[in-house]
Amino acid sequence: MSSAIWLVIFLYKGHGSNYCLSPPGNIFHLKFNSEMLVRCGTENMVQEWYSIDTNRTEVSNVATWSLERGITKIVPDSLYERRHNLQGLIMRAVIVKDSPFTIIKKDGELDGIYGRILRELCVTLNFSFDIVSEVGQYGRWNPKKKTWSGAIAELYAGRADISLSEFSITNARLNAVDFTLPILRSKNCLFFREPEIFVIKWSSYFLTFTHSVWIAMFGVLIAASILLIFLKIKDGTNRKIGNLLSDNFMEIWGIFCQQGIADFSDKSSLRIAYFSVFILVTVLWSAYSAALINCLTSVFQVLPFDSLETFVADGTYRLAVLRDTSNYDQFANSEDPLAKKLMNLMLEEDKLPLTVLEAFTNICENRNLAIFAFDEMKMSVVHKIPCNVVRVETGHINNMAIILSKRNPFTDIINFQLQKFFENGIMNRFVNSPFKKKSNDLVKQQPVPLISIISLLIFIQIGIVLSTCILIIEKCIFARKRKKMSMIHHIPSIKSSEF
């Protein structure tokens, strides 16, 4: 009765009009999504018949029909703008235990992303849920036994009407259940424990400024040295230009290295030049120090792979997915060569984790284990993960929706209302607010590990060692010079005494 649009005209022959105006039970076996227009005898009113409860027919006036004016609508065009009240209908529901997006509180109220959406649907459409079963798995098709498992099996067998948990949309599942509009769209990624191998970028000391800034800095160094030559010549110095150039270069370089000037001139022109260079170097060092800290405290990780192909090529990691989910079917039932290689790295089915938290706990305990899951799955338990986890995008997109029993008459009205949630922004608030809250709760200022500044410490140690070596060499040279000078002064005194 839902596959066609019906027009029924009652002709009274021995029966009263009450049979048409108040039909007993559900004589046409109508459903909620049935489309039937009814005219009762010579009545000018056209009615719409459908059924919410299979034992009762709902009747509402939709148009007037007369020979003079024809058919005149008196209700909105949209079918589900008219049928927006399910009159307290109770749907049988199944829920997946430990679902990251649907939580049942102690008082029985639904929470989580999907829980809030379902609560809003109940209020808007005037219906409720009766949770008839709680299962531990989402459900997948077993090609050997020719059966479904988990929550999908409950819907497929007719023991439930709707599932209150999130489900990925796949071709195989479309043959068994109905899906609503996708509520979440997420990227599938490989998650694994953060490796402890880092790259020390020795070029960080030069990456703080662009090439043009470095060229300008050395240009100022040379230009200031040349300018000082003219200023000192004008003041009447008798040193050669070559000596002046080397002296000026060392003085300017000393200012760049924040060293003092041994002989500070009393000429105003030279004082202004030196002071200007000093101000420039102060600003330059402030900017360089800030940029250098930013570069040195940024940890550069070396990831063992960056895609599914390199994950297979690496071969040192095992793969895991949540048990009895579409992610397992994605590899197990595929003829793609890459999927077959990934199945060779997959854990045994009985060792696959059942919950999201168990999956991320496993990869924290096993460094050579990666889990294939969508990004929001990690966000749902991010505060409970006992280690740092990194991800690698795989290029796969995951669409998640609510599932109902196959050919469920209420799928279209739920989709209609979900579309209105998308249009008025309610859906965006439901989906994004939990993730924003969790991201705001994270500590923004993380401690800097010692290994990220090891290059700076090595440079400091090299400077200390070189300075010590130079100091020792200078001490030895000056000691030898003093010894020679003392011998030279001692020889004349001996000669004078002999004379």
Side-chain angles (χ1 to χ4, degrees), residues 189-260:
C189 304
L190 284 172
F191 295 94
F192 55 98
R193 184 172 175 177
E194 184 179 54
E196 295 182 352
I197 303 173
F198 301 96
V199 171
I200 302 171
K201 301 201 73 172
W202 302 95
S203 59
S204 297
Y205 298 95
F206 303 100
L207 294 176
T208 53
F209 291 149
T210 60
H211 295 293
S212 58
V213 175
W214 285 110
I215 293 172
M217 187 175 68
F218 285 105
V220 169
L221 177 62
I222 296 171
S225 301
I226 296 173
L227 177 62
L228 287 174
I229 292 176
F230 295 104
L231 294 177
K232 289 183 178 180
I233 291 176
K234 186 177 180 181
D235 289 337
T237 182
N238 56 0
R239 291 179 61 82
K240 295 181 180 180
I241 294 179
N243 294 333
L244 284 175
L245 181 61
S246 62
D247 291 345
N248 295 339
F249 185 84
M250 294 305 296
E251 287 177 352
I252 300 300
W253 184 251
I255 295 175
F256 268 80
C257 297
Q258 298 186 353
Q259 299 296 319

Side-chain angles (χ1 to χ4, degrees), residues 151-165:
I152 296 182
E154 298 295 306
L155 296 177
Y156 188 71
R159 294 187 289 269
D161 303 314
I162 188 172
S163 176
L164 306 183
S165 305

Side-chain angles (χ1 to χ4, degrees), residues 258-284:
Q258 298 186 353
Q259 299 296 319
I261 299 175
D263 184 18
F264 195 68
S265 175
D266 57 352
K267 301 294 183 181
S268 300
S269 57
L270 291 173
R271 285 172 176 259
I272 292 173
Y274 286 132
F275 184 74
S276 300
V277 174
F278 173 77
I279 294 297
L280 174 64
V281 171
T282 301
V283 175
L284 185 67

Side-chain angles (χ1 to χ4, degrees), residues 22-88:
S22 301
N26 187 3
I27 59 177
F28 286 106
H29 303 285
L30 299 176
K31 296 184 178 181
F32 182 77
N33 57 347
S34 298
E35 296 183 63
M36 175 180 285
L37 295 179
V38 177
R39 179 174 180 177
C40 299
T42 58
E43 295 284 339
N44 289 335
M45 191 65 65
V46 177
Q47 299 174 341
E48 183 178 51
W49 285 15
Y50 62 96
S51 178
I52 298 175
D53 182 356
T54 56
N55 296 322
R56 188 177 76 250
T57 301
E58 305 297 329
V59 178
S60 60
N61 297 328
V62 296
T64 58
W65 191 359
S66 64
L67 294 176
E68 295 81 12
R69 298 182 180 180
I71 297 177
T72 304
K73 292 179 293 185
I74 60 175
V75 292
D77 290 338
S78 174
L79 179 66
Y80 295 114
E81 284 285 358
R82 305 193 298 269
R83 303 180 191 179
H84 59 273
N85 188 348
L86 298 184
Q87 300 181 10

Side-chain angles (χ1 to χ4, degrees), residues 228-474:
L228 287 174
I229 292 176
F230 295 104
L231 294 177
K232 289 183 178 180
I233 291 176
K234 186 177 180 181
D235 289 337
T237 182
N238 56 0
R239 291 179 61 82
K240 295 181 180 180
I241 294 179
N243 294 333
L244 284 175
L245 181 61
S246 62
D247 291 345
N248 295 339
F249 185 84
M250 294 305 296
E251 287 177 352
I252 300 300
W253 184 251
I255 295 175
F256 268 80
C257 297
Q258 298 186 353
Q259 299 296 319
I261 299 175
D263 184 18
F264 195 68
S265 175
D266 57 352
K267 301 294 183 181
S268 300
S269 57
L270 291 173
R271 285 172 176 259
I272 292 173
Y274 286 132
F275 184 74
S276 300
V277 174
F278 173 77
I279 294 297
L280 174 64
V281 171
T282 301
V283 175
L284 185 67
W285 270 108
S286 299
Y288 181 82
S289 299
L292 180 64
I293 292 171
N294 183 49
C295 287
L296 293 181
T297 55
S298 298
V299 178
F300 298 89
Q301 297 172 337
V302 178
L303 300 181
F305 47 84
D306 57 6
S307 64
L308 287 176
E309 290 77 10
T310 54
F311 174 80
V312 172
D314 179 76
T316 60
Y317 279 75
R318 297 295 302 276
L319 181 64
V321 296
L322 288 184
R323 193 185 307 177
D324 279 346
T325 59
S326 61
N327 289 334
Y328 188 86
D329 291 336
Q330 182 177 346
F331 304 119
N333 301 330
S334 175
E335 296 298 327
D336 182 48
L338 179 61
K340 293 181 178 179
K341 293 178 181 177
L342 289 168
M343 278 303 298
N344 293 331
L345 300 174
M346 185 78 69
L347 294 178
E348 292 77 7
E349 191 170 353
D350 58 345
K351 294 182 179 179
L352 293 175
L354 287 172
T355 65
V356 178
L357 183 58
E358 180 186 352
F360 282 96
T361 302
N362 288 347
I363 64 177
C364 289
E365 296 174 352
N366 185 355
R367 288 189 175 277
N368 293 327
L369 180 64
I371 181 172
F372 183 83
F374 53 90
D375 199 26
E376 276 73 11
M377 191 175 287
K378 177 203 169 188
M379 294 298 297
S380 64
V381 295
V382 65
H383 293 292
K384 300 178 182 179
I385 301 176
C387 67
N388 293 328
V389 175
V390 294
R391 69 168 191 170
V392 170
E393 293 185 6
T394 63
H396 295 265
I397 301 296
N398 193 26
N399 293 301
M400 290 172 289
I402 301 170
I403 61 171
L404 298 95
S405 56
K406 193 64 179 175
R407 290 179 289 277
N408 191 299
F410 303 104
T411 302
D412 291 335
I413 180 61
I414 291 177
N415 277 334
F416 180 82
Q417 195 60 45
L418 288 176
Q419 184 61 46
K420 293 183 71 173
F421 287 169
F422 279 109
E423 292 172 355
N424 58 27
I426 293 178
M427 187 66 71
N428 186 56
R429 177 168 59 87
F430 283 148
V431 171
N432 293 332
S433 57
F435 298 133
K436 289 180 179 178
K437 181 179 179 181
K438 289 178 180 178
S439 63
N440 291 334
D441 292 340
L442 294 176
V443 179
K444 295 182 180 179
Q445 301 295 334
Q446 299 291 343
V448 178
L450 181 64
I451 195 169
S452 64
I453 59 169
I454 193 170
S455 57
L456 178 61
L457 298 178
I458 290 175
F459 273 116
I460 293 174
Q461 293 297 324
I462 291 174
I464 293 174
V465 172
L466 286 177
S467 301
T468 305
C469 292
I470 293 172
L471 178 62
I472 294 172
I473 293 172
E474 287 181 347

Side-chain angles (χ1 to χ4, degrees), residues 97-123:
K97 297 178 183 177
D98 300 315
S99 170
F101 301 120
T102 305
I103 303 169
I104 300 180
K105 296 182 178 180
K106 293 182 180 180
D107 58 359
E109 186 179 28
L110 291 174
D111 199 8
I113 294 176
Y114 274 65
R116 296 187 187 98
I117 294 172
L118 290 166
R119 272 169 31 204
E120 191 69 21
L121 283 173
C122 289
V123 173

